[in-house]
Amino acid sequence: MRVLLIRSDMKLAGPAKLMHAYATALRERGHEIVVVSGGGAYVPTLVADGFRHHEIPDLQVQARRPLSMLATVAAIRRLLRRHRIEVVNSFNAHAGWMAAFADPFNRCRHFNTVLGTGKERANRLLPGRIFAVSESVRGRLIEAGVASAKISVVHNATLEPRFFAPPAPASAPADQADRPVRLISVAMFTGQKGHELVLPLVAALCHDRGRNVELTLVGDGVTRRQCEQQARDLGIADRVTFTGALPDVVPHLDGADIFVHLPEFETFGIVLAEAMARGLPVLSVKVGGIPEVVEDGRTGLLVDRSDPADQLDAADRLVGDKALRLSFGTRGRDRARALFSLERLGETLDRLYRI
């Protein structure tokens, strides 16, 4: 099939990376891929991977004006004809509507992937089918008035083969008796990803439970300095490493024993699937789409975000029970491979595009 993937922008953020995953998974199955956007910092990454990208600056939401919208629709119509597109998959409602207006007689099959940004009502009248990235997002779409029959759940199955490759040999014995148990969290410092809960949790493990633990925080953002100060105030600065943003998190995941993620909300949580793919047990919270990724009591422990005692007991249990960590890690790896690989994404899209 000839597939056009379209979004209003390609910022360095989750939607652009998800589009890249769609493109990769579909190309692996022999489909021809064309990507259209209003531009953005992620475009060079996509182009470097060999994908055709057409930039329509007026497709950006902030450029939305009557005349620019007409020009955008005309540009998309020309691309649909030039590339003989059969399937259009948009990644926000604005791009979806522009593509729909460009194809008023529905010569293409239209799909819109919804990540759950709080603008679900914009999808109520959008033609074609809707892909929700989790059952949680599907529920929010239905609450917003989208017909349930139009919605299919397509998880963010974006894990590349490298996430399932054997780990590199460890530089130090993993069973060294005095080695700290290493916790890791991967998330941008936005003030909503739970760093302000993870740091006191580690302090309580050290000071109240007497555990020998260390924490690595991968990511960057506006609240990083605040969190660095919080670590100093809690007396655990020597046990916390701030790495900044990293292009490859796999080596750091392989150096850890437990993955911890306590966000305010997640529509899915691909970082959890990545950690599971590397065999890490997960400590996370019962919000949004997280329970669809992490099986509570089988691949990790899910706790009440508003209950620090619950979080501490669960973390202490994982830190103190290596056999449990290994058991969770093994089942998590199997679950990630079965549900969240690029191969699985390609199979799912291939099937749904043909319905």
Side-chain angles (χ1 to χ4, degrees), residues 18-243:
L18 182 59
M19 282 181 69
H20 194 174
Y22 270 51
T24 302
L26 290 166
R27 182 172 62 183
E28 287 294 314
R29 296 186 69 83
H31 301 297
E32 297 179 31
I33 308 301
V34 177
V35 182
V36 178
S37 81
Y42 196 85
V43 170
T45 300
L46 196 73
V47 173
D49 199 15
F51 292 103
R52 287 179 292 186
H53 175 266
H54 296 274
E55 185 168 328
I56 305 175
D58 283 346
L59 184 56
Q60 296 189 30
V61 174
Q62 59 267 32
R64 188 164 51 191
R65 295 180 300 276
L67 289 178
S68 67
M69 291 170 68
L70 288 173
T72 297
V73 167
I76 295 170
R77 182 181 296 124
R78 289 193 293 270
L79 289 172
L80 295 178
R81 292 174 177 173
R82 183 192 314 166
H83 296 287
R84 295 179 293 125
I85 296 299
E86 300 168 87
V87 171
V88 177
N89 198 142
S90 54
F91 286 79
N92 60 349
H94 174 62
W97 278 112
M98 295 298 97
F101 290 140
D103 182 32
F105 300 109
N106 293 322
R107 291 189 173 94
C108 304
R109 296 189 292 280
H110 289 257
F111 303 85
N112 184 46
T113 297
V114 179
L115 286 81
T117 60
K119 300 178 181 178
E120 289 78 15
R121 289 179 62 85
N123 294 274
R124 286 179 300 165
L125 302 177
L126 192 67
R129 294 194 59 80
I130 304 294
F131 293 158
V133 299
S134 66
E135 289 288 351
S136 173
V137 172
R138 181 178 184 273
R140 292 169 64 181
L141 283 163
I142 293 172
E143 289 178 3
V146 179
S148 61
K150 291 181 58 174
I151 307 169
S152 298
V153 174
V154 179
H155 287 134
N156 286 4
T158 62
L159 300 186
E160 307 164 38
R162 65 190 178 91
F163 280 101
F164 302 105
S171 58
D175 57 354
Q176 187 175 335
D178 60 347
R179 182 182 69 79
V181 174
R182 295 165 296 201
L183 283 67
I184 187 170
S185 183
V186 179
M188 295 298 293
F189 285 79
T190 64
Q192 299 174 319
K193 294 297 183 178
H195 297 98
E196 74 285 355
L197 300 183
V198 175
L199 289 164
L201 176 62
V202 170
L205 285 169
C206 295
H207 303 323
D208 300 342
R209 301 291 173 95
R211 295 296 191 182
N212 183 16
V213 298
E214 294 179 347
L215 172 66
T216 297
L217 296 176
V218 179
D220 214 338
V222 295
T223 62
R224 175 176 168 177
R225 287 190 177 182
Q226 176 183 332
C227 290
E228 290 173 340
Q229 183 60 51
Q230 185 181 14
R232 290 190 288 269
D233 293 343
L234 290 167
I236 56 170
D238 60 334
R239 292 182 175 270
V240 182
T241 300
F242 293 81
T243 69

Side-chain angles (χ1 to χ4, degrees), residues 194 196-198 200-201 204-205 209 260 262 283-285 301-318:
E196 74 285 355
L197 300 183
V198 175
L201 176 62
L205 285 169
R209 301 291 173 95
V260 58
L262 308 177
L283 173 64
S284 194
V285 287
L301 298 176
L302 299 182
V303 296
D304 184 342
R305 193 177 190 275
S306 63
D307 188 346
D310 188 25
Q311 298 161 25
L312 179 57
D313 287 343
D316 190 50
R317 181 183 172 195
L318 286 173

